[in-house]
Amino acid sequence: MRLSRYFLPVLKETPSEAQIVSHRYMLRAGMIKQQAAGIYSWLPMGFKVLRKIEDIIHEEQAKAGHIAMQMPTLQTADLWRESGRYDGYGEEMLRMQDRHGRDMLFSPTAEELFTDVFRSHVSSYKDLPLTLYQIQWKFRDEIRPRFGVMRGREFYMKDGYNFDLSKEDALHAYNRHLVSYLRTYERMGLQAIPMRADSGPIGGDDTHEFLVLAETGESEVFYDSEVTDLTFGDREIDFDSVEQCQAVLEEFTSRYARTDETHDEALFNQVPQERRRVARGIEVGQIFYFGTKYSDALGATVQGPDGKPTPVHMGSHGIGVSRLLGAIIEASHDDKGIIWPEGVTPFHCGIVNLKQGDEAADEACNALYASLSALGLEPLYDDRNERAGGKFATMDLIGLPWRITVGPRGLKNGVVEVTCRRTGENTEMPPEQAIAKIAEIYGKVAG
Ligand code: 5CA
């Protein structure tokens, strides 16, 4: 993309309403625009990162054997009356009526709808296990929407629902999700720590939240510092293997790590003092096992191996997709702007032309742009007629992990400059080598 043809409405001033760094940078970098409290337009750069996050989630869900589909955002109240949650859900549910006076609502979550699809189409245990999911907009009329996309009213969520014949199978689904989520967050450059939590209006006893440690996080968390040493890495896992998933669960959840809702001071005090940590975290996901709560209420049964109708065991699993943008920025920025992890960056690298209109510089930039694009990479080429300082400031603010700087003086010596956004390290090298380096970082082979 050429910046002169892109739509990147960068703000010079720091918006006064934004209290935390991720909100400030998302507004300044032209990623979002607020339309009402907790409701945002996603401008092209923000939308691009949202899509990258979504792609990672879809890829990892497919590896775990989960099946994507899409539910409507608007639903009738009927199903929610059947489950008993219509009155119970409270003020956070946005309710409305259609022209016929029918009660409708904007989905805050979708246990009822998925259970309804299941009961309509699945009747035998032979069709289990089954895990369906969607990535879809949700609405919760939060009393205090704040911190930009962190606590929105309209927000984007991945929500998945498993249907299993027995508690044992459903617990495997729970463990499988835990493993799959660990991989998902790591691919986004995040450490998200599973912590024992409270299930709230979703229900059930078994639940873990995934928390990204950050001073601006809304949750208070208590943990054994050893949990921050754990990484999933690129280990291979067979998601059908009960033992393998169980082993990962135990590795990642056996140490003390809890949110304030489930914190137990006496248990915490058993952790050696030098390893006890109290901090704040951003909840980027949650997994639940709630047994037959919804299948009992909505009559979701299958014919079991013994021929008798058996209610299915269920759980649900959520990732805060739009919140993740905020969480990633909170975890990865400096005083100049965002520093995108390579896995989610909106463009793979920036190209800065120090002297637009200089024949050699223009030509070298065009050649770099063409070569990187041919490799399947997306560079953002700042081809505007602007001072170098302004171009660097924009690149730093929008946070592309790599920048190639091209100027007439360097070109006379046959070199361009490659800069790492995270470390600030600059290296001069011939353009071909710069292409090879960027290609290698993103796992592409330069010809
Ligand atoms: N049905 C279950 C699992 S699919 C569910 O709704 N879980 S949840 O309530 O925990 O939401 C899933 C994730 O959505 C949360 O972990 C959080 O990351 C994100 N989320 C929840 N509320 C908001 C909000 N107001 N703004 C942005 N993200 C939110």
Side-chain angles (χ1 to χ4, degrees):
M1 179 59 64
R2 284 165 199 275
L3 194 44
S4 63
R5 296 183 200 162
Y6 198 45
F7 180 60
L8 183 70
V10 165
L11 304 182
K12 292 252 166 5
E13 306 292 318
T14 298
S16 58
E17 76 271 24
Q19 297 166 31
I20 62 171
V21 72
S22 57
H23 190 195
R24 278 198 292 277
Y25 283 156
M26 286 184 79
L27 291 169
R28 280 194 51 210
M31 298 176 66
I32 52 171
K33 178 187 185 311
Q34 183 174 317
Q35 300 295 9
I39 301 180
Y40 292 87
S41 293
W42 290 78
L43 307 179
M45 264 265 295
F47 185 58
K48 217 159 186 318
V49 180
L50 196 66
R51 295 285 292 272
K52 290 247 169 150
I53 290 175
E54 211 178 327
D55 289 348
I56 292 176
I57 295 172
H58 280 305
E59 282 172 30
E60 292 301 324
Q61 287 297 303
K63 284 182 197 154
H66 306 156
I67 303 165
M69 57 179 285
Q70 189 89 304
M71 291 292 188
T73 52
L74 296 185
Q75 312 173 7
T76 66
D78 303 353
L79 275 177
W80 289 72
R81 292 206 169 98
E82 246 187 276
S83 73
R85 281 210 291 185
Y86 187 64
D87 295 323
Y89 208 95
E91 298 283 306
E92 273 186 21
M93 182 186 277
L94 181 67
R95 297 154 207 259
M96 62 199 97
Q97 289 193 333
D98 68 11
R99 67 200 297 170
H100 306 294
R102 274 189 218 108
D103 291 326
M104 310 278 293
L105 58 99
F106 196 115
S107 178
T109 172
E111 278 78 7
E112 282 79 357
L113 274 192
F114 275 87
T115 310
D116 179 59
V117 165
F118 179 87
R119 73 177 174 185
S120 307
H121 298 287
V122 181
S123 55
S124 165
Y125 75 95
K126 290 179 188 152
D127 296 322
L128 306 184
L130 182 65
T131 298
L132 302 171
Y133 78 95
Q134 66 172 345
I135 302 182
Q136 179 61 295
W137 293 97
K138 302 288 184 297
F139 196 95
R140 292 183 186 171
D141 205 354
E142 301 276 353
I143 188 153
R144 269 218 303 160
R146 57 181 186 157
F147 301 158
V149 298
M150 288 283 200
R151 183 160 297 278
R153 292 198 296 165
E154 188 184 50
F155 61 99
Y156 208 35
M157 192 206 282
K158 174 266 170 181
D159 48 324
Y161 306 83
N162 68 287
F163 303 91
D164 286 279
L165 185 60
S166 64
K167 175 170 184 178
E168 201 185 4
D169 290 352
L171 289 177
H172 171 58
Y174 186 90
N175 299 352
R176 192 176 67 230
H177 277 86
L178 187 128
V179 179
S180 165
Y181 278 19
L182 289 171
R183 288 170 61 111
T184 304
Y185 295 120
E186 279 190 21
R187 280 189 60 188
M188 298 172 190
L190 279 180
Q191 180 173 43
I193 303 167
M195 299 198 182
R196 186 156 284 285
D198 182 66
S199 65
I202 308 290
D205 299 325
D206 284 303
T207 182
H208 280 91
E209 284 181 4
F210 288 78
L211 285 116
V212 173
L213 297 175
E215 278 166 29
T216 48
E218 290 187 293
S219 317
E220 188 170 34
V221 295
F222 303 81
Y223 61 94
D224 177 338
S225 64
E226 284 190 354
V227 297
T228 56
D229 299 334
L230 300 170
T231 50
F232 190 81
D234 52 10
R235 57 180 109 166
E236 287 294 320
I237 184 127
D238 173 3
F239 282 101
D240 289 333
S241 163
V242 172
E243 296 73 30
Q244 286 187 26
C245 292
Q246 178 80 39
V248 175
L249 176 101
E250 277 163 16
E251 179 186 344
F252 281 84
T253 64
S254 57
R255 292 174 186 79
Y256 193 95
R258 295 188 177 203
T259 63
D260 52 1
E261 298 154 338
T262 56
H263 177 56
D264 179 330
E265 197 65 30
L267 264 183
F268 190 46
N269 285 334
Q270 291 174 17
V271 177
Q273 183 161 12
E274 68 280 8
R275 300 207 319 244
R276 261 179 255 155
R277 299 281 185 281
V278 182
R280 303 200 71 81
I282 302 165
E283 179 206 328
V284 291
Q286 186 163 7
I287 55 177
F288 303 83
Y289 165 69
F290 41 67
T292 58
K293 174 177 171 175
Y294 295 93
S295 44
D296 283 338
L298 298 170
T301 57
V302 291
Q303 190 179 43
D306 55 4
K308 294 196 185 124
T310 317
V312 286
H313 286 254
M314 291 175 59
S316 69
H317 327 92
I319 295 180
V321 183
S322 46
R323 177 179 287 182
L324 271 167
L325 278 94
I328 293 169
I329 297 172
E330 289 297 326
S332 185
H333 67 269
D334 63 14
D335 56 3
K336 291 187 246 162
I338 302 165
I339 305 175
W340 290 116
E342 273 121 13
V344 298
T345 184
F347 295 95
H348 295 99
C349 71
I351 301 172
V352 168
N353 188 341
L354 291 178
K355 200 161 184 205
Q356 207 65 43
D358 176 273
E359 202 176 320
D362 290 0
E363 207 175 292
C365 286
N366 286 335
L368 279 169
Y369 186 84
S371 303
L372 289 165
S373 305
L375 287 167
L377 295 171
E378 269 191 291
L380 181 66
Y381 171 21
D382 192 345
D383 59 343
R384 296 169 307 160
N385 241 329
E386 264 217 24
R387 285 185 310 118
K391 290 188 176 187
F392 289 149
T394 300
M395 282 293 172
D396 284 344
L397 173 64
I398 67 173
L400 310 184
W402 296 91
R403 186 184 80 208
I404 307 178
T405 310
V406 181
R409 215 177 316 150
L411 287 174
K412 278 203 183 104
N413 299 320
V415 295
V416 296
E417 197 175 67
V418 176
T419 307
C420 172
R421 174 68 182 85
R422 191 172 295 281
T423 63
E425 197 187 337
N426 288 312
T427 321
E428 289 192 337
M429 59 184 83
E432 308 75 57
Q433 212 175 308
I435 294 163
K437 185 180 167 88
I438 304 291
E440 195 195 332
I441 287 162
Y442 291 104
K444 310 271 181 191
V445 182

mmCIF file of all heavy atoms in Angstrom, residues 107-136:
data_model
loop_
_atom_site.group_PDB
_atom_site.id
_atom_site.type_symbol
_atom_site.label_atom_id
_atom_site.label_comp_id
_atom_site.label_asym_id
_atom_site.label_seq_id
_atom_site.Cartn_x
_atom_site.Cartn_y
_atom_site.Cartn_z
ATOM 1 N N SER A 107 -27.563 -9.989 20.736
ATOM 2 C CA SER A 107 -26.881 -11.079 21.432
ATOM 3 C C SER A 107 -25.685 -10.614 22.274
ATOM 4 O O SER A 107 -24.728 -10.070 21.742
ATOM 5 C CB SER A 107 -26.396 -12.082 20.385
ATOM 6 O OG SER A 107 -25.690 -13.124 21.001
ATOM 7 N N PRO A 108 -25.731 -10.841 23.612
ATOM 8 C CA PRO A 108 -24.554 -10.553 24.440
ATOM 9 C C PRO A 108 -23.618 -11.764 24.515
ATOM 10 O O PRO A 108 -22.477 -11.662 24.957
ATOM 11 C CB PRO A 108 -25.150 -10.259 25.822
ATOM 12 C CG PRO A 108 -26.447 -11.002 25.860
ATOM 13 C CD PRO A 108 -26.903 -11.226 24.446
ATOM 14 N N THR A 109 -24.109 -12.932 24.109
ATOM 15 C CA THR A 109 -23.406 -14.209 24.101
ATOM 16 C C THR A 109 -24.385 -15.155 23.409
ATOM 17 O O THR A 109 -25.494 -14.726 23.072
ATOM 18 C CB THR A 109 -23.037 -14.671 25.534
ATOM 19 O OG1 THR A 109 -22.517 -16.011 25.487
ATOM 20 C CG2 THR A 109 -24.238 -14.676 26.486
ATOM 21 N N ALA A 110 -24.001 -16.409 23.141
ATOM 22 C CA ALA A 110 -24.900 -17.179 22.272
ATOM 23 C C ALA A 110 -25.100 -18.646 22.681
ATOM 24 O O ALA A 110 -25.321 -19.501 21.830
ATOM 25 C CB ALA A 110 -24.408 -17.079 20.823
ATOM 26 N N GLU A 111 -25.067 -18.938 23.980
ATOM 27 C CA GLU A 111 -25.313 -20.320 24.426
ATOM 28 C C GLU A 111 -26.655 -20.839 23.898
ATOM 29 O O GLU A 111 -26.769 -21.964 23.416
ATOM 30 C CB GLU A 111 -25.303 -20.404 25.961
ATOM 31 C CG GLU A 111 -23.929 -20.503 26.608
ATOM 32 C CD GLU A 111 -23.196 -19.163 26.662
ATOM 33 O OE1 GLU A 111 -23.798 -18.137 26.318
ATOM 34 O OE2 GLU A 111 -22.003 -19.169 27.022
ATOM 35 N N GLU A 112 -27.693 -20.013 24.020
ATOM 36 C CA GLU A 112 -29.040 -20.439 23.635
ATOM 37 C C GLU A 112 -29.127 -20.769 22.144
ATOM 38 O O GLU A 112 -29.682 -21.795 21.756
ATOM 39 C CB GLU A 112 -30.059 -19.337 23.965
ATOM 40 C CG GLU A 112 -30.448 -19.240 25.428
ATOM 41 C CD GLU A 112 -29.417 -18.516 26.294
ATOM 42 O OE1 GLU A 112 -28.357 -18.134 25.773
ATOM 43 O OE2 GLU A 112 -29.670 -18.355 27.495
ATOM 44 N N LEU A 113 -28.588 -19.867 21.305
ATOM 45 C CA LEU A 113 -28.702 -20.074 19.860
ATOM 46 C C LEU A 113 -27.964 -21.327 19.414
ATOM 47 O O LEU A 113 -28.464 -22.102 18.598
ATOM 48 C CB LEU A 113 -28.120 -18.875 19.103
ATOM 49 C CG LEU A 113 -29.027 -17.691 18.856
ATOM 50 C CD1 LEU A 113 -28.384 -16.750 17.866
ATOM 51 C CD2 LEU A 113 -30.372 -18.142 18.313
ATOM 52 N N PHE A 114 -26.758 -21.515 19.935
ATOM 53 C CA PHE A 114 -25.993 -22.703 19.520
ATOM 54 C C PHE A 114 -26.679 -23.973 20.014
ATOM 55 O O PHE A 114 -26.720 -24.981 19.308
ATOM 56 C CB PHE A 114 -24.547 -22.617 20.038
ATOM 57 C CG PHE A 114 -23.649 -21.821 19.117
ATOM 58 C CD1 PHE A 114 -23.544 -20.440 19.231
ATOM 59 C CD2 PHE A 114 -22.911 -22.455 18.122
ATOM 60 C CE1 PHE A 114 -22.726 -19.707 18.379
ATOM 61 C CE2 PHE A 114 -22.091 -21.730 17.258
ATOM 62 C CZ PHE A 114 -21.995 -20.350 17.394
ATOM 63 N N THR A 115 -27.222 -23.916 21.223
ATOM 64 C CA THR A 115 -27.912 -25.095 21.749
ATOM 65 C C THR A 115 -29.149 -25.383 20.894
ATOM 66 O O THR A 115 -29.485 -26.544 20.631
ATOM 67 C CB THR A 115 -28.306 -24.881 23.225
ATOM 68 O OG1 THR A 115 -27.160 -24.425 23.938
ATOM 69 C CG2 THR A 115 -28.807 -26.167 23.863
ATOM 70 N N ASP A 116 -29.799 -24.329 20.426
ATOM 71 C CA ASP A 116 -30.987 -24.505 19.588
ATOM 72 C C ASP A 116 -30.619 -25.142 18.240
ATOM 73 O O ASP A 116 -31.309 -26.053 17.760
ATOM 74 C CB ASP A 116 -31.671 -23.152 19.369
ATOM 75 C CG ASP A 116 -32.888 -23.298 18.475
ATOM 76 O OD1 ASP A 116 -33.796 -24.060 18.861
ATOM 77 O OD2 ASP A 116 -32.913 -22.686 17.392
ATOM 78 N N VAL A 117 -29.538 -24.671 17.624
ATOM 79 C CA VAL A 117 -29.107 -25.278 16.355
ATOM 80 C C VAL A 117 -28.781 -26.745 16.580
ATOM 81 O O VAL A 117 -29.166 -27.627 15.812
ATOM 82 C CB VAL A 117 -27.882 -24.520 15.783
ATOM 83 C CG1 VAL A 117 -27.194 -25.334 14.697
ATOM 84 C CG2 VAL A 117 -28.311 -23.158 15.241
ATOM 85 N N PHE A 118 -28.102 -26.996 17.681
ATOM 86 C CA PHE A 118 -27.725 -28.367 17.997
ATOM 87 C C PHE A 118 -28.959 -29.257 18.152
ATOM 88 O O PHE A 118 -29.069 -30.321 17.535
ATOM 89 C CB PHE A 118 -26.882 -28.397 19.281
ATOM 90 C CG PHE A 118 -26.472 -29.783 19.672
ATOM 91 C CD1 PHE A 118 -25.309 -30.350 19.165
ATOM 92 C CD2 PHE A 118 -27.253 -30.551 20.529
ATOM 93 C CE1 PHE A 118 -24.929 -31.635 19.496
ATOM 94 C CE2 PHE A 118 -26.891 -31.850 20.867
ATOM 95 C CZ PHE A 118 -25.726 -32.387 20.346
ATOM 96 N N ARG A 119 -29.920 -28.807 18.958
ATOM 97 C CA ARG A 119 -31.084 -29.681 19.231
ATOM 98 C C ARG A 119 -31.921 -29.898 17.976
ATOM 99 O O ARG A 119 -32.609 -30.902 17.849
ATOM 100 C CB ARG A 119 -31.938 -29.125 20.376
ATOM 101 C CG ARG A 119 -32.752 -27.896 20.002
ATOM 102 C CD ARG A 119 -33.638 -27.425 21.154
ATOM 103 N NE ARG A 119 -34.263 -26.164 20.762
ATOM 104 C CZ ARG A 119 -35.028 -25.429 21.566
ATOM 105 N NH1 ARG A 119 -35.255 -25.820 22.803
ATOM 106 N NH2 ARG A 119 -35.556 -24.310 21.139
ATOM 107 N N SER A 120 -31.864 -28.940 17.042
ATOM 108 C CA SER A 120 -32.649 -29.084 15.808
ATOM 109 C C SER A 120 -32.037 -30.095 14.843
ATOM 110 O O SER A 120 -32.740 -30.627 13.994
ATOM 111 C CB SER A 120 -32.748 -27.749 15.075
ATOM 112 O OG SER A 120 -33.219 -26.770 15.933
ATOM 113 N N HIS A 121 -30.736 -30.301 14.939
ATOM 114 C CA HIS A 121 -30.070 -31.072 13.885
ATOM 115 C C HIS A 121 -29.286 -32.291 14.343
ATOM 116 O O HIS A 121 -28.839 -33.071 13.509
ATOM 117 C CB HIS A 121 -29.134 -30.158 13.083
ATOM 118 C CG HIS A 121 -29.869 -29.059 12.382
ATOM 119 N ND1 HIS A 121 -30.642 -29.286 11.270
ATOM 120 C CD2 HIS A 121 -29.972 -27.735 12.651
ATOM 121 C CE1 HIS A 121 -31.180 -28.146 10.881
ATOM 122 N NE2 HIS A 121 -30.797 -27.187 11.709
ATOM 123 N N VAL A 122 -29.042 -32.415 15.636
ATOM 124 C CA VAL A 122 -28.231 -33.549 16.085
ATOM 125 C C VAL A 122 -29.075 -34.422 17.007
ATOM 126 O O VAL A 122 -29.668 -33.916 17.962
ATOM 127 C CB VAL A 122 -26.954 -33.065 16.832
ATOM 128 C CG1 VAL A 122 -26.102 -34.255 17.264
ATOM 129 C CG2 VAL A 122 -26.137 -32.123 15.952
ATOM 130 N N SER A 123 -29.143 -35.712 16.697
ATOM 131 C CA SER A 123 -29.995 -36.560 17.533
ATOM 132 C C SER A 123 -29.298 -37.810 18.041
ATOM 133 O O SER A 123 -29.839 -38.528 18.873
ATOM 134 C CB SER A 123 -31.258 -36.949 16.763
ATOM 135 O OG SER A 123 -30.876 -37.544 15.539
ATOM 136 N N SER A 124 -28.082 -38.068 17.559
ATOM 137 C CA SER A 124 -27.417 -39.306 17.982
ATOM 138 C C SER A 124 -26.050 -39.026 18.585
ATOM 139 O O SER A 124 -25.338 -38.112 18.149
ATOM 140 C CB SER A 124 -27.247 -40.233 16.777
ATOM 141 O OG SER A 124 -26.315 -41.250 17.083
ATOM 142 N N TYR A 125 -25.674 -39.836 19.545
ATOM 143 C CA TYR A 125 -24.343 -39.709 20.168
ATOM 144 C C TYR A 125 -23.238 -39.919 19.142
ATOM 145 O O TYR A 125 -22.108 -39.494 19.333
ATOM 146 C CB TYR A 125 -24.204 -40.711 21.330
ATOM 147 C CG TYR A 125 -23.995 -42.142 20.888
ATOM 148 C CD1 TYR A 125 -22.704 -42.692 20.791
ATOM 149 C CD2 TYR A 125 -25.080 -42.961 20.552
ATOM 150 C CE1 TYR A 125 -22.513 -43.992 20.366
ATOM 151 C CE2 TYR A 125 -24.895 -44.253 20.126
ATOM 152 C CZ TYR A 125 -23.611 -44.761 20.030
ATOM 153 O OH TYR A 125 -23.411 -46.050 19.594
ATOM 154 N N LYS A 126 -23.611 -40.584 18.011
ATOM 155 C CA LYS A 126 -22.602 -40.865 16.985
ATOM 156 C C LYS A 126 -22.086 -39.577 16.333
ATOM 157 O O LYS A 126 -21.033 -39.577 15.714
ATOM 158 C CB LYS A 126 -23.178 -41.778 15.908
ATOM 159 C CG LYS A 126 -23.414 -43.181 16.441
ATOM 160 C CD LYS A 126 -24.002 -44.067 15.372
ATOM 161 C CE LYS A 126 -24.427 -45.405 15.965
ATOM 162 N NZ LYS A 126 -25.527 -46.018 15.228
ATOM 163 N N ASP A 127 -22.850 -38.504 16.444
ATOM 164 C CA ASP A 127 -22.426 -37.224 15.849
ATOM 165 C C ASP A 127 -21.549 -36.399 16.800
ATOM 166 O O ASP A 127 -21.175 -35.274 16.478
ATOM 167 C CB ASP A 127 -23.642 -36.406 15.425
ATOM 168 C CG ASP A 127 -24.431 -37.109 14.325
ATOM 169 O OD1 ASP A 127 -23.789 -37.726 13.452
ATOM 170 O OD2 ASP A 127 -25.679 -37.063 14.356
ATOM 171 N N LEU A 128 -21.272 -36.951 17.960
ATOM 172 C CA LEU A 128 -20.442 -36.243 18.942
ATOM 173 C C LEU A 128 -19.035 -36.836 18.922
ATOM 174 O O LEU A 128 -18.871 -37.979 18.518
ATOM 175 C CB LEU A 128 -21.043 -36.384 20.339
ATOM 176 C CG LEU A 128 -22.506 -35.964 20.470
ATOM 177 C CD1 LEU A 128 -22.942 -36.069 21.928
ATOM 178 C CD2 LEU A 128 -22.710 -34.549 19.963
ATOM 179 N N PRO A 129 -18.023 -36.107 19.371
ATOM 180 C CA PRO A 129 -18.076 -34.743 19.897
ATOM 181 C C PRO A 129 -18.241 -33.712 18.791
ATOM 182 O O PRO A 129 -17.895 -33.970 17.638
ATOM 183 C CB PRO A 129 -16.708 -34.594 20.559
ATOM 184 C CG PRO A 129 -15.808 -35.484 19.770
ATOM 185 C CD PRO A 129 -16.657 -36.641 19.342
ATOM 186 N N LEU A 130 -18.763 -32.555 19.179
ATOM 187 C CA LEU A 130 -18.965 -31.477 18.221
ATOM 188 C C LEU A 130 -18.650 -30.141 18.908
ATOM 189 O O LEU A 130 -19.138 -29.881 20.005
ATOM 190 C CB LEU A 130 -20.420 -31.486 17.752
ATOM 191 C CG LEU A 130 -20.814 -30.445 16.704
ATOM 192 C CD1 LEU A 130 -20.100 -30.684 15.379
ATOM 193 C CD2 LEU A 130 -22.335 -30.471 16.477
ATOM 194 N N THR A 131 -17.815 -29.340 18.259
ATOM 195 C CA THR A 131 -17.572 -27.982 18.760
ATOM 196 C C THR A 131 -17.793 -26.993 17.633
ATOM 197 O O THR A 131 -17.151 -27.075 16.591
ATOM 198 C CB THR A 131 -16.151 -27.821 19.339
ATOM 199 O OG1 THR A 131 -16.005 -28.704 20.448
ATOM 200 C CG2 THR A 131 -15.910 -26.397 19.818
ATOM 201 N N LEU A 132 -18.738 -26.101 17.834
ATOM 202 C CA LEU A 132 -19.071 -25.067 16.853
ATOM 203 C C LEU A 132 -18.670 -23.720 17.428
ATOM 204 O O LEU A 132 -18.737 -23.524 18.642
ATOM 205 C CB LEU A 132 -20.583 -25.065 16.593
ATOM 206 C CG LEU A 132 -21.179 -26.383 16.093
ATOM 207 C CD1 LEU A 132 -22.707 -26.302 16.089
ATOM 208 C CD2 LEU A 132 -20.657 -26.709 14.689
ATOM 209 N N TYR A 133 -18.252 -22.820 16.547
ATOM 210 C CA TYR A 133 -17.916 -21.482 17.054
ATOM 211 C C TYR A 133 -18.209 -20.431 16.009
ATOM 212 O O TYR A 133 -18.429 -20.739 14.834
ATOM 213 C CB TYR A 133 -16.440 -21.415 17.484
ATOM 214 C CG TYR A 133 -15.474 -21.271 16.333
ATOM 215 C CD1 TYR A 133 -15.021 -20.015 15.940
ATOM 216 C CD2 TYR A 133 -15.025 -22.377 15.625
ATOM 217 C CE1 TYR A 133 -14.133 -19.867 14.881
ATOM 218 C CE2 TYR A 133 -14.143 -22.243 14.561
ATOM 219 C CZ TYR A 133 -13.704 -20.987 14.196
ATOM 220 O OH TYR A 133 -12.842 -20.843 13.139
ATOM 221 N N GLN A 134 -18.207 -19.197 16.454
ATOM 222 C CA GLN A 134 -18.355 -18.061 15.536
ATOM 223 C C GLN A 134 -17.439 -16.936 15.992
ATOM 224 O O GLN A 134 -16.965 -16.914 17.131
ATOM 225 C CB GLN A 134 -19.799 -17.567 15.524
ATOM 226 C CG GLN A 134 -20.228 -16.961 16.857
ATOM 227 C CD GLN A 134 -21.590 -16.297 16.817
ATOM 228 O OE1 GLN A 134 -22.131 -16.023 15.753
ATOM 229 N NE2 GLN A 134 -22.160 -16.028 17.982
ATOM 230 N N ILE A 135 -17.179 -16.002 15.094
ATOM 231 C CA ILE A 135 -16.585 -14.718 15.491
ATOM 232 C C ILE A 135 -17.623 -13.685 15.070
ATOM 233 O O ILE A 135 -17.938 -13.562 13.883
ATOM 234 C CB ILE A 135 -15.224 -14.475 14.820
ATOM 235 C CG1 ILE A 135 -14.247 -15.621 15.176
ATOM 236 C CG2 ILE A 135 -14.656 -13.130 15.268
ATOM 237 C CD1 ILE A 135 -12.848 -15.461 14.612
ATOM 238 N N GLN A 136 -18.198 -13.014 16.044
ATOM 239 C CA GLN A 136 -19.364 -12.176 15.748
ATOM 240 C C GLN A 136 -19.448 -11.014 16.738
ATOM 241 O O GLN A 136 -18.954 -11.108 17.867
ATOM 242 C CB GLN A 136 -20.622 -13.057 15.828
ATOM 243 C CG GLN A 136 -21.941 -12.396 15.593
ATOM 244 C CD GLN A 136 -22.076 -11.786 14.206
ATOM 245 O OE1 GLN A 136 -21.363 -10.838 13.864
ATOM 246 N NE2 GLN A 136 -22.972 -12.317 13.385
#
